[in-house]
Amino acid sequence: MHELSMADAMVKTVLDVAEKNNATEIIEVTIEVGKLTMLNPEQLKFLLDVLVENTLLEGSKINIEEVSVEIKCNACDYVGSANMEGSDHYLAIIKCPKCSGRDVEITAGRECNVKKIRIEQDDDLESDDPVNDNGN
Ligand SMILES: [Zn+2]
């Protein structure tokens, strides 16, 4: 399953970053998923919920942002959203909305990245209350 390997890779990436930054807690993670990845965001979310069990990511807020497909047309120089008419979950048909050409460069929509990670760090062990800053 496509979604499973992607979800697995994302969890590993986030945990890796968290570890390198001495995170004690992962508050929030934002994941960018381009429409051309053919990943089903709902299924991805479900798998992530399962994969984060017993990791630092358990209980973190996970946001999935869909990135729409953008193109640059080689025929008419159109730049912007693609015409995806006729596409489905298995096959992406990408056309220029201006000239209907298919000689296009895809500039967005293939992303599948961890865009943002908010962590709680281990560098201030004196107090876990951020408001209390006169602790000496
Ligand atoms: Zn065009």
Side-chain angles (χ1 to χ4, degrees):
M1 205 195 310
H2 192 38
E3 276 86 356
L4 181 60
S5 56
M6 289 316 303
D8 193 45
M10 283 169 183
V11 170
K12 282 190 180 124
T13 303
V14 174
L15 291 175
D16 196 43
V17 171
E19 199 181 312
K20 278 178 188 153
N21 290 282
N22 300 316
T24 51
E25 196 190 334
I26 300 168
I27 301 160
E28 193 176 351
V29 176
T30 304
I31 290 165
E32 256 184 341
V33 179
K35 287 205 169 136
L36 275 179
T37 59
M38 301 288 161
L39 292 166
N40 177 335
E42 272 167 47
Q43 199 172 7
L44 196 60
K45 183 85 172 65
F46 171 79
L47 288 164
L48 287 169
D49 284 344
V50 175
L51 288 167
V52 300
E53 271 178 40
N54 302 314
T55 73
L56 209 53
L57 262 168
E58 191 170 13
S60 310
K61 189 166 187 266
I62 299 175
N63 307 308
I64 296 179
E65 278 181 13
E66 270 196 280
V67 180
S68 53
V69 180
E70 306 235 326
I71 55 154
K72 180 185 174 298
C73 180
N74 290 324
C76 72
D77 286 333
Y78 166 87
V79 175
S81 303
N83 175 4
M84 297 277 288
E85 227 171 90
S87 302
D88 59 30
H89 186 66
Y90 303 98
L91 179 71
I93 299 166
I94 301 155
K95 281 192 262 188
C96 170
K98 203 170 150 194
C99 72
S100 296
R102 294 192 62 177
D103 181 15
V104 296
E105 272 171 51
I106 295 150
T107 55
R110 279 196 290 221
E111 296 81 351
C112 190
N113 326 303
V114 178
K115 189 183 169 191
K116 206 166 72 182
I117 305 174
R118 271 182 63 206
I119 55 170
E120 196 75 66
Q121 274 172 316
D122 204 11
D123 56 8
D124 183 8
L125 292 172
E126 284 166 44
S127 169
D128 53 4
D129 179 6
V131 182
N132 180 16
D133 60 355
N134 49 1
N136 52 337

